[in-house]
Coordinates of all heavy atoms in Angstrom, one line a residue:
Chain A
G33 N -15.5 -15.8 -23.8 CA -16.3 -16.8 -23.1 C -16.2 -16.6 -21.6 O -16.5 -17.6 -20.8
I49 N -23.2 -22.4 10.8 CA -23.9 -22.6 9.5 C -24.7 -23.9 9.6 O -24.1 -25.0 9.6 CB -23.0 -22.6 8.3 CG1 -22.3 -21.2 8.3 CG2 -23.8 -22.8 7.0 CD1 -21.1 -21.2 7.3
T55 N -31.0 -23.2 -4.1 CA -32.0 -23.6 -5.1 C -32.5 -22.3 -5.9 O -32.5 -22.3 -7.2 CB -33.2 -24.3 -4.6 OG1 -32.9 -25.3 -3.6 CG2 -34.1 -25.0 -5.7
A120 N -25.3 -12.0 -11.3 CA -24.6 -12.7 -10.2 C -25.2 -12.0 -8.8 O -25.4 -12.8 -7.9 CB -23.2 -12.6 -10.4
D258 N -8.2 -16.1 -4.0 CA -7.2 -16.6 -4.8 C -7.4 -18.1 -5.0 O -6.8 -18.7 -5.9 CB -5.8 -16.3 -4.3 CG -5.5 -14.9 -4.2 OD1 -6.1 -14.1 -3.5 OD2 -4.7 -14.4 -5.0
T285 N -10.7 -7.6 2.6 CA -9.3 -7.4 2.4 C -8.7 -7.1 3.9 O -9.4 -6.5 4.7 CB -9.0 -6.2 1.5 OG1 -9.5 -6.6 0.2 CG2 -7.5 -5.8 1.4
H287 N -7.4 -5.9 7.2 CA -7.3 -4.7 8.0 C -5.9 -4.6 8.6 O -5.1 -5.6 8.4 CB -8.3 -4.7 9.2 CG -9.8 -4.6 8.7 ND1 -10.8 -4.7 9.5 CD2 -10.3 -4.5 7.4 CE1 -11.9 -4.6 8.8 NE2 -11.7 -4.5 7.6
A298 N 11.2 4.0 32.2 CA 12.0 4.4 33.4 C 13.2 5.3 33.0 O 13.7 5.0 31.9 CB 12.6 3.0 34.0
R362 N 1.3 -0.3 5.0 CA 2.4 0.6 5.1 C 2.9 1.0 6.5 O 2.2 1.6 7.2 CB 2.0 1.8 4.3 CG 3.0 2.6 3.8 CD 2.5 3.7 2.9 NE 3.4 4.3 2.0 CZ 3.2 5.2 1.1 NH1 1.9 5.7 0.9 NH2 4.1 5.8 0.2
I456 N 6.7 17.0 17.7 CA 7.7 16.3 17.0 C 7.8 14.9 17.4 O 7.3 14.4 18.4 CB 9.2 17.0 17.2 CG1 9.5 16.9 18.7 CG2 9.2 18.4 16.8 CD1 10.9 17.3 19.0
H617 N 9.5 13.7 12.3 CA 8.4 14.4 11.8 C 8.0 15.6 12.7 O 8.2 15.5 13.9 CB 7.2 13.5 11.7 CG 7.2 12.5 10.7 ND1 6.1 11.9 10.1 CD2 8.2 11.9 10.0 CE1 6.4 11.1 9.1 NE2 7.7 11.0 9.1
Y672 N -16.5 -1.4 14.7 CA -17.4 -2.5 14.9 C -18.3 -2.2 16.1 O -17.9 -1.6 17.1 CB -16.6 -3.7 15.2 CG -15.9 -4.4 13.9 CD1 -14.7 -3.9 13.5 CD2 -16.5 -5.3 13.3 CE1 -14.1 -4.5 12.4 CE2 -16.0 -5.9 12.1 CZ -14.7 -5.5 11.7 OH -14.2 -6.1 10.6

Side-chain angles (χ1 to χ4, degrees):
Chain A
I49 299 170
T55 317
D258 292 70
T285 295
H287 293 177
R362 204 174 197 174
I456 59 170
H617 287 209
Y672 281 86

